Amino acid sequence: MSKPVVNIWGTRPGSERAAVQPAPWDTKWDLRTAATSGTAWVFYQSPGENVLNRPVILADGFAPEGTDVDVLYDGLENGDYPLVSRLRQAGFDVIVLGFADRTASVLDNAEVAIQCIRRTIAEREGDAPLTVGGFSMGGLVTRYALAKMERGMEQHETATYLSYDTPHCGAWLPLGVQAFAHFVKARWGGEGKHLYNLYSDLVNSPAAREMLRWHLATGTDTTLDVAAGQDKARTDFLEALERVGEWPQRPRLLGVANGTGTGVGNHIPADSPAMEASGSKVAAQLRTQGGGRRTVAEMQEPGQDKVSVHTTGFPELDGAPGGLFPELSGVSNFGAAAALSMVLNGAAPEVAYNASTFVPTISAVAAADIDKQDNLYSKIDPEESRLHDFHCATSNEGHTLVTEELGEWIVHKLQDA
């Protein structure tokens, strides 16, 4: 069985991409709030005219540090489908919204999105309504921003909200991977941006705690039993969403998913070894998620007690239909654990599966919670979705991968508005 190797914006496995080139934006706006900041890069429909007529705001998603517009544009434009060019050819101006800290709270970055919407309205000529949305976390950021503006009786002048593989009902990161990242940091990490801190710090960031349906903050307990709970930051975030009405009420709500809507998963088996490592510093086995009571991780430093992570009552999430976990700094979830192990032990571990489902399809189309096996592996019922319309990928592919199938659907839907 082939291993799913994916990239957060990148090409499909086995394909090659030219070196990233500077993004050809026309102007940029610096956006500042009390808590954080961001930047909007404007690509006018007619380059050189600098006239904003039919704006489409697309917000960046979760990743380490701040938005690199060149990398972001490269993924939007130079992969399977040139989304920015197609939107401009269809008569739209594209505004790419980035954040100074993509791991900051969704609520904080939503304030940046509100500033961007206000600036767009102020700069626009004419009265064409806006399209506002984003990729992954960016879809949550803009969803909350629009709903908050409505709650405050502020006109956002947005006709269409668009989410691209956004975890509306939560995202999944294998608990064994989370535990291993914290285990490594606790034993070998250092001050600041130490190599062994990075993945653990990412998992424990505000945005990750808000988006992940299940979150572990530590990996040092000798025996760790995990049931169906969620981090307080996620509870607080969901309550904040509820206070503003959960969804914006005025726009048409559209969404796409990088996973299938048929119930067909990615064929990663449940309760199977995903990564096995041995060496002078750490021995570890991480397993894919299974139902019932399962051991998903065992980790041990020579001469120390073994750390075991057990789960109870979880569905088989790793193989579920959905967008596959992206690479971050060159490695994906089980692959990230393997990379940490390789650096520690000086030898490559055995990796059966380097990735897994990150945003289940039912979450991306806001059709059901991801807690139940039947929800994950059933055909999507459009009547159950909170979106007015959505499109699912024909096959399970990389999370936020911009494809012709999804890109063409988006462009046609915006043209039909």
Side-chain angles (χ1 to χ4, degrees):
M1 183 180 299
S2 62
K3 305 169 189 176
V5 181
V6 298
N7 185 284
I8 191 165
W9 288 113
T11 55
R12 296 184 185 279
S15 59
E16 295 184 359
R17 173 79 64 82
V20 174
Q21 301 296 316
W25 46 268
D26 297 298
T27 190
K28 70 173 182 176
W29 306 331
D30 293 325
L31 307 167
R32 298 189 178 278
T33 70
T36 186
S37 62
T39 304
W41 293 272
V42 183
F43 300 79
Y44 293 108
Q45 185 269 325
S46 298
E49 293 186 9
N50 293 359
V51 177
L52 196 63
N53 289 312
R54 299 176 68 195
V56 176
I57 298 173
L58 298 175
D60 196 5
F62 177 81
E65 301 179 336
T67 297
D68 182 326
V69 67
D70 299 332
V71 174
L72 177 55
Y73 177 83
D74 185 62
L76 292 171
E77 183 69 11
N78 298 325
D80 280 12
Y81 183 79
L83 182 60
V84 176
S85 289
R86 291 290 189 268
L87 286 169
R88 294 168 87 183
Q89 290 166 8
F92 296 98
D93 310 283
V94 179
I95 300 168
V96 175
L97 174 59
F99 306 105
D101 182 0
R102 291 176 291 181
T103 70
S105 168
V106 172
L107 305 181
D108 288 342
N109 277 329
E111 297 300 321
V112 177
I114 290 172
Q115 293 293 329
C116 183
I117 293 167
R118 291 170 177 163
R119 179 69 179 268
T120 300
I121 294 170
E123 297 281 342
R124 178 192 52 178
E125 293 193 3
D127 58 0
L130 282 59
T131 295
V132 177
F135 295 83
S136 189
M137 180 195 73
L140 290 178
V141 166
T142 49
R143 171 183 159 186
Y144 180 83
L146 291 169
K148 183 177 181 182
M149 293 178 79
E150 289 183 359
R151 190 71 170 179
M153 305 300 290
E154 181 176 357
Q155 296 296 324
H156 52 58
E157 302 191 28
T158 299
T160 301
Y161 162 77
L162 172 67
S163 66
Y164 201 114
D165 215 39
T166 291
H168 291 296
C169 302
W172 165 250
L173 177 61
L175 296 174
V177 174
Q178 296 186 46
F180 187 73
H182 302 321
F183 178 87
V184 170
K185 177 181 179 179
R187 283 160 173 76
W188 296 285
E191 296 295 325
K193 295 183 179 180
H194 192 281
L195 171 65
Y196 298 140
N197 296 0
L198 296 182
Y199 207 70
S200 173
D201 290 347
L202 197 64
V203 170
N204 276 341
S205 68
R209 288 174 179 265
E210 291 168 349
M211 290 189 297
L212 289 173
R213 171 59 185 86
W214 295 275
H215 174 268
L216 285 182
T218 181
T220 58
D221 295 345
T222 302
T223 301
L224 189 61
D225 289 284
V226 184
Q230 66 184 15
D231 193 87
K232 184 179 183 301
R234 177 163 178 78
T235 300
D236 292 345
F237 168 64
L238 293 177
E239 290 176 351
L241 260 181
E242 186 176 5
R243 287 193 295 273
V244 296
E246 294 193 354
W247 295 85
Q249 302 302 308
R250 298 171 194 160
R252 173 183 57 159
L253 308 178
L254 301 181
V256 297
N258 285 114
T260 66
T262 60
V264 176
N266 59 34
H267 307 298
I268 295 176
D271 193 31
S272 295
M275 190 279 285
E276 296 187 75
S278 60
S280 60
K281 287 192 174 181
V282 63
Q285 183 187 78
L286 307 183
R287 301 180 66 85
T288 60
Q289 185 62 56
R293 178 173 169 80
R294 300 293 180 182
T295 299
V296 295
E298 291 185 327
M299 306 164 289
Q300 188 170 25
E301 185 181 5
Q304 303 297 317
D305 292 335
K306 180 184 293 185
V307 172
S308 299
V309 180
H310 311 285
T311 61
T312 302
F314 281 66
E316 298 170 3
L317 285 144
D318 293 306
L324 291 163
F325 193 89
E327 291 184 327
L328 299 173
S329 302
V331 288
S332 53
N333 51 9
F334 288 116
L340 287 173
S341 169
M342 183 165 61
V343 173
L344 281 168
N345 289 330
E350 295 182 18
V351 181
Y353 306 100
N354 82 323
S356 67
T357 291
F358 180 52
V359 178
T361 303
I362 58 168
S363 181
V365 301
D369 291 333
I370 66 174
D371 303 55
K372 296 180 180 179
Q373 183 84 359
D374 288 347
N375 288 351
L376 291 167
Y377 289 89
S378 295
K379 183 178 179 179
I380 300 294
D381 181 356
E383 296 299 319
E384 297 297 323
S385 174
R386 298 294 301 275
L387 302 172
H388 296 130
D389 202 359
F390 62 83
H391 188 78
C392 300
T394 301
S395 60
N396 298 298
E397 55 203 17
H399 171 58
T400 67
L401 188 71
V402 178
T403 66
E404 182 174 2
E405 177 184 17
L406 301 184
E408 282 291 297
W409 185 87
I410 289 170
V411 173
H412 289 155
K413 285 294 179 181
L414 297 188
Q415 285 179 309
D416 291 343

